[in-house]
Amino acid sequence: MSEWVWALVRWVHLVAMAIWLGGQLFLFLVVRPVLRSQLDRPTQTQFTAAFGRRYSPLAWISSIVAILNGFAIGEHRGVA
């Protein structure tokens, strides 16, 4: 395949990783501290579970895309 295709594969890999990692960091560095400071423990758990259910499909899709692209990039670069 041509190099622009591999550049696109790398770009998709980076976007998928940014979505996955960015969501994780947002949840644990922004959402959780705000919930801890404003709400009681049972309500924190409910909100965290709701955020998790909403984010989970996006996280699974982006992590699968990143893993598959990572394997493809590694194979292309000759990683054994």
Side-chain angles (χ1 to χ4, degrees), residues 29-76:
L29 296 176
V30 177
V31 173
R32 292 289 295 167
V34 169
L35 291 178
R36 276 193 202 119
S37 68
Q38 302 294 319
L39 302 172
D40 61 346
R41 179 69 99 185
T43 309
Q44 289 177 28
T45 303
Q46 290 174 344
F47 273 105
T48 302
F51 284 123
R53 281 190 299 275
R54 177 75 179 193
Y55 175 66
S56 184
L58 184 61
W60 275 107
I61 291 168
S62 63
S63 58
I64 289 169
V65 167
I67 289 168
L68 293 177
N69 280 350
F71 280 126
I73 292 167
E75 187 70 29
H76 174 69

Side-chain angles (χ1 to χ4, degrees), residues 11-29 51-52 55-67:
W11 183 82
V12 169
H13 178 77
L14 290 173
V15 168
M17 286 304 302
I19 291 170
W20 181 80
L21 185 59
Q24 298 295 322
L25 290 174
F26 181 75
L27 180 63
F28 289 108
L29 296 176
F51 284 123
Y55 175 66
S56 184
L58 184 61
W60 275 107
I61 291 168
S62 63
S63 58
I64 289 169
V65 167
I67 289 168

Side-chain angles (χ1 to χ4, degrees), residues 6 18 50:
W6 287 108

